[in-house]
Each structure stands twice: as C-alpha cells, then as structure tokens.
Amino acid sequence: MKRLRLGVLVSGRGTNLQAILDAIARGELDAEVALVICNHKEAYAITRAERAGVPVGVLIQKEYASRQEHQRAIADSLEKAKVDLVVCAGWDRIFTHEFVERFLGRIINIHPALLPSFAGGLHAVRSALEYGVKVTGCTVHFITHDLDSGPIILQEAVPVLPDDTEETLAERIRVEEHRLLVEAIRLYGSQHLQIEGRKVRIG
Ligand code: GRF
C-alpha cells in the first residue's frame, strides 16, 4: 500500500500536528506530512513544522480578496502537494461549500467534545464545563457540509473532575486527542474506514 500523504491544517499551538509528526518519526504511522498550512503568522505550529523539516505554507485570510479566494488558495496548495488526506488539527475556520466539495471523503477533523454535544464554535471545552457534564471527550470525524456533523470515526471519553478549569480539562482532552487522531489516520491509511450514510464502519 502506498504511503499516505497528509495535508495538515493548523491555527494554533500545533500539539496535534506534533503528535502526528512524532508517530511518523517513531515508525508508528506509515504516512508523510506533505504540507502543513497555517492561517496565523504567530502560531507555534509553524515552528513545529519547520523543526520537523516539512513544507509549511502560511496563508492569511486577510491577504486575500475574500474567504472564498483564501480557501481556494489553500485547496490549490493541498492538491498541488498531492495529499491523500486533509487533517484539520486545530483549524479555526469554517470551510466554504467549494472547499468541502473538493475534499469530501478525505478530510477529517478533531473536535474537543463528544459530538453531537458541544458542536459548532471554538469553545467546546468551556461549554461542556459550563453545562456541568460529568463526562466529555473528543471526536475525530469526517468533515461534510454541515458543521461538526460529519460521520464519526473515533471518540474517547474524558471525565470532568470537580476542580477542573477550562485549561486543566482541555489539557487532559488533548492527551486523548493526540492518540485518537493518529489512530484515525492509521485506520484511514489502512483503508479500514467505510462511510455508510452517516456512519463509519471500521473493519
Ligand atoms: C484541539 O483541542 C482541537 O480539538 C481543537 O483545537 C485544539 C488544537 O490544539 N480544534 P493544538 O493546536 O493541536 O495544540
């Protein structure tokens, strides 16, 4: 089977990107990061990509005429890099219809909650904490035209502790995210994922 070429989209610290890079370096994930795209100049994820020696493109939305043009440029770069799978690893923008259409079935996202709870928006951990749930977690899912509603690949539960703050809870969720995202990529690469309607069959 051919080695999976990944395009990783990042907006922030990039710890999920690091988990992917580390798993590849350890020989635990048969893939290569063909391109990292970041949409914030100051994001630490850029340093992580550079340190690992993988190509990184910094594409800032306000430098484009429109959101559509920005995402068109990102999609063009991903296609030029011949990526097999697009991995949103802490990406903070909602995709245009056109962008999703170009990668349907080969774009996944990590979300810091147990979907469909706390979907939509950038504050899923805070929302879970404010709601008072006793268990939250993380979800890896395919991206479709409906925000945070694509077929679920993997989920992991994380208990909410009485003294949790947004930071402590996010940190424990992140540990699980790192493992889950790598596992989802591995499953995708081994062609063990089949989308059946809104469900993903693993096997
Ligand atoms: C993760 O919690 C992810 O679920 C959310 O953004 C965060 C990114 O963290 N979408 P990092 O940049 O990978 O450290």
Side-chain angles (χ1 to χ4, degrees), residues 12-17 89-91 109-112 174 177-178:
R13 291 192 343 186
T15 63
N16 279 283
L17 167 66
W91 179 253
N109 180 49
I110 177 88
H111 183 80
R174 216 168 264 134
E177 287 187 352
H178 297 163

Side-chain angles (χ1 to χ4, degrees), residues 11 15 24 57 86 94 105 124 128-129 147 154 163 169 180 188 198:
S11 301
T15 63
I24 293 171
V86 179
I94 294 173
L129 206 53
L147 182 63
L154 293 171
D163 295 329
L169 181 55
L180 213 64
Y188 185 93
R198 68 145 299 102

Side-chain angles (χ1 to χ4, degrees), residues 3-189:
R3 205 154 195 242
L4 202 60
R5 290 176 66 79
L6 305 175
V8 185
L9 305 192
V10 289
S11 301
R13 291 192 343 186
T15 63
N16 279 283
L17 167 66
Q18 192 67 56
I20 296 167
L21 292 166
D22 291 348
I24 293 171
R26 287 196 298 263
E28 293 167 8
L29 183 61
D30 188 17
E32 81 180 87
V33 177
L35 180 62
V36 171
I37 289 183
C38 185
N39 62 340
H40 296 293
K41 278 196 177 88
E42 311 300 330
Y44 188 65
I46 298 170
T47 306
R48 294 181 192 273
E50 286 171 350
R51 243 180 13 205
V54 302
V56 52
V58 183
L59 280 70
I60 312 296
Q61 186 175 313
K62 67 175 194 297
E63 293 173 2
Y64 291 81
S66 65
R67 175 170 164 256
Q68 276 71 18
E69 286 303 321
H70 178 233
Q71 295 200 13
R72 207 164 282 148
I74 295 171
D76 290 346
S77 311
L78 291 166
E79 278 176 3
K80 202 165 157 220
K82 297 194 181 344
V83 307
D84 302 302
L85 179 67
V86 179
V87 180
C88 300
W91 179 253
D92 66 359
R93 286 287 182 274
I94 294 173
F95 292 113
T96 61
H97 188 91
E98 178 190 322
F99 187 94
V100 173
E101 201 60 37
R102 284 172 75 169
F103 296 101
L104 216 48
R106 50 194 188 103
I107 179 166
I108 64 173
N109 180 49
I110 177 88
H111 183 80
L114 291 175
L115 291 173
S117 291
F118 309 112
L122 295 171
H123 302 292
V125 179
R126 189 186 309 165
S127 301
L129 206 53
E130 284 172 0
Y131 196 95
V133 292
K134 304 295 185 200
V135 177
T136 183
C138 49
T139 303
V140 183
H141 64 95
F142 281 104
I143 287 182
T144 59
H145 294 296
D146 301 314
L147 182 63
D148 291 338
S149 302
I152 290 171
I153 302 168
L154 293 171
Q155 291 188 298
E156 190 61 70
V158 174
V160 180
L161 304 180
D163 295 329
D164 261 336
T165 62
E166 188 178 349
E167 288 68 34
T168 58
L169 181 55
E171 213 43 57
R172 288 206 315 289
I173 292 173
R174 216 168 264 134
V175 172
E176 299 304 326
E177 287 187 352
H178 297 163
R179 194 180 54 73
L180 213 64
L181 188 56
V182 168
E183 181 59 17
I185 296 168
R186 191 183 294 123
L187 287 169
Y188 185 93

